[in-house]
Amino acid sequence: MARRKKLYEGKAKILYEGPEPGTIIQYFKDDATAFNAEKRATIEGKGVLNNRLSEHFMAGLNTIGVPTHFIRRLNMREQLVRAVEIIPLEVVVRNVAAGSISKRLGIEEGTPLPRPIVEFYYKDDALGDPLVSEEHIIAFGWAGQQDLDDMVALALRVNDFMSGLMLGVGIKLVDFKIEIGRVYDGDFTRLIVADEISPDSCRLWDIETGQKLDKDVFRRDLGNLADAYTEVANRLGLMPKNVAHTGPKLVN
Ligand code: UDP
């Protein structure tokens, strides 16, 4: 059996060379990290849940014409994706104030924002992923003006899709982070949604109770993270049903 070529190992995923050129296998680990990896744990089943949830979100986006890297899920922990050149920015969309925007601007968590706000963070662990402006992005050449416009448009479409999907199962999409990659199609380059979309990278609050169903459960020690993610998957109809026993019946 040949050993697969590992391309990259991150905090929550491993990337392996895919079966064809231009493809990558994305493996979801059970590891959870927060606060720039200062807090770490292994949460059994998290990788399986995120693989399935990210598949669901990305496949849905593909269906409505928002391009993503997702090709197909291969097994419980792996999915086949298109290789992209990752833009070194985390694109965050916020609908409701929480986390860093609440701290930075003194807005109470839970305050609805006047409109969705798109922010960019420069991906650099050593610097703690600092917030950057469009000026920085253009001046330092991390992306061009057209890329920026395309990234904002993509992020807002993802926001609309994800907000609607979540609303349908009684969950408020507070904010989320996506990563965007460049692909080359002949003479053209295009930007597509890459990485993952999962409760690791979203804030999800139950509409009725405000219960957190995302990685804040881990960051803030609010309970069992896998249970929270399972609840999201359950509501979306992604968990196998407890099928009633259909085997042979005992006849008295
Ligand atoms: N986020 C992420 N990865 C990061 C930073 C943030 O997925 O490295 C997500 C986070 O889960 C939340 C959104 O982006 O859904 C906004 O995060 P925020 O800026 O409030 O940062 P935090 O409170 O996590 O420090």
Side-chain angles (χ1 to χ4, degrees), residues 14-251:
I14 305 173
L15 303 182
Y16 295 99
E17 199 169 67
E20 289 140 38
T23 65
I24 282 179
I25 293 169
Q26 194 166 249
Y27 175 98
F28 287 76
K29 301 195 282 187
D30 280 344
D31 298 348
T33 63
F35 312 118
N36 208 4
E38 276 168 33
K39 179 171 180 170
R40 299 162 178 274
T42 301
I43 292 152
E44 207 183 318
K46 181 177 84 89
V48 174
L49 285 157
N50 279 352
N51 185 30
R52 184 71 186 89
L53 284 161
S54 198
E55 171 195 15
H56 185 67
F57 302 139
M58 296 273 187
L61 286 165
N62 285 342
T63 305
I64 62 159
V66 178
T68 82
H69 73 161
F70 180 80
I71 301 171
R72 67 174 184 277
R73 187 163 60 87
L74 298 171
N75 56 49
M76 298 272 278
R77 288 188 182 272
E78 294 177 327
Q79 49 183 247
L80 186 68
V81 300
R82 272 187 83 167
V84 302
E85 205 178 276
I86 284 282
I87 310 267
L89 298 167
E90 300 199 331
V91 184
V92 168
V93 183
R94 302 178 184 276
N95 300 303
V96 174
S100 69
I101 197 174
S102 290
K103 281 206 201 88
R104 187 177 300 115
L105 302 180
I107 308 172
E108 196 186 338
E109 283 212 332
T111 310
L113 296 168
R115 54 165 221 190
I117 295 177
V118 182
E119 297 174 337
F120 297 98
Y121 293 82
Y122 181 52
K123 268 168 70 74
D124 185 321
D125 283 341
L127 298 175
D129 298 343
L131 177 69
V132 291
S133 73
E134 298 201 0
E135 281 283 297
H136 297 134
I137 295 168
I138 305 276
F140 296 122
W142 298 324
Q145 185 61 57
Q146 181 64 54
D147 293 334
L148 268 177
D149 295 346
D150 292 350
M151 282 194 283
V152 170
L154 267 179
L156 291 175
R157 289 193 72 192
V158 172
N159 186 44
D160 284 346
F161 174 77
M162 290 291 296
S163 292
L165 197 64
M166 289 301 166
L167 182 63
V169 295
I171 295 173
K172 185 169 12 179
L173 178 65
V174 170
D175 58 30
F176 65 93
K177 182 264 305 188
I178 52 170
E179 296 191 21
I180 292 176
R182 193 188 303 283
V183 289
Y184 295 88
D185 279 337
D187 287 345
F188 295 91
T189 80
R190 274 191 321 131
L191 297 184
I192 68 177
V193 180
D195 190 50
E196 70 178 285
I197 304 178
S198 75
D200 267 8
S201 52
C202 300
R203 282 198 170 90
L204 304 170
W205 295 356
D206 180 85
I207 287 177
E208 295 292 327
T209 65
Q211 187 194 355
K212 292 181 175 36
L213 299 170
D214 56 61
K215 207 164 96 176
D216 275 346
V217 171
F218 169 69
R219 290 190 192 99
R220 302 179 188 189
D221 296 318
L222 300 175
N224 183 301
L225 192 71
D227 287 350
Y229 290 16
T230 301
E231 173 67 19
V232 176
N234 252 326
R235 291 198 196 184
L236 290 165
L238 303 180
M239 298 300 284
K241 299 267 176 306
N242 275 333
V243 185
H245 186 61
T246 52
K249 284 195 181 72
L250 248 188
V251 179

